[in-house]
Amino acid sequence: PVTVSIPLSILLLLLFRWILGDWVWGFFSGFIAGYLVYDMMHYAIHHAQGFKAPLLRKIRNHHLAHHFRDTRLGFGVSSPFWDSVFRT
């Protein structure tokens, strides 16, 4: 929700500004762009049907298993990387 996203992004901007100084604008714009791509992909994984690309089908199947198979397993939300790290 916007009521959470905007205050959180302002807090992150201030934190990044404190750490990075004037370099914050390039970093923060990339950070926000990356988050928006992730969020749109997350929405598409839940709501779009019939992915034709095998990689997108694999990501969707992995993500839905993350939600619905076993709540104690499946830390990798969009890739199996964290599942490999934590052996889940």
Side-chain angles (χ1 to χ4, degrees), residues 3-70:
T3 56
V4 174
S5 299
I6 291 176
L8 183 59
S9 66
I10 291 170
L11 288 174
L12 287 172
L13 175 62
L14 294 173
L15 174 68
F16 295 153
R17 170 89 181 175
W18 179 67
I19 295 169
L20 299 171
D22 289 336
W23 292 92
V24 70
W25 302 113
F27 179 82
F28 190 69
S29 60
F31 180 83
I32 293 297
Y35 176 76
L36 289 173
V37 168
Y38 169 79
D39 198 43
M40 288 186 286
M41 181 64 125
H42 186 242
Y43 182 86
I45 285 171
H46 279 278
H47 300 287
Q49 298 294 321
F51 286 116
K52 294 185 194 286
L55 178 61
L56 292 177
R57 280 198 312 265
K58 184 177 180 179
I59 290 172
R60 183 173 197 266
N61 290 338
H62 182 80
H63 183 76
L64 293 178
H66 154 80
H67 279 297
F68 302 114
R69 189 169 292 155
D70 187 343

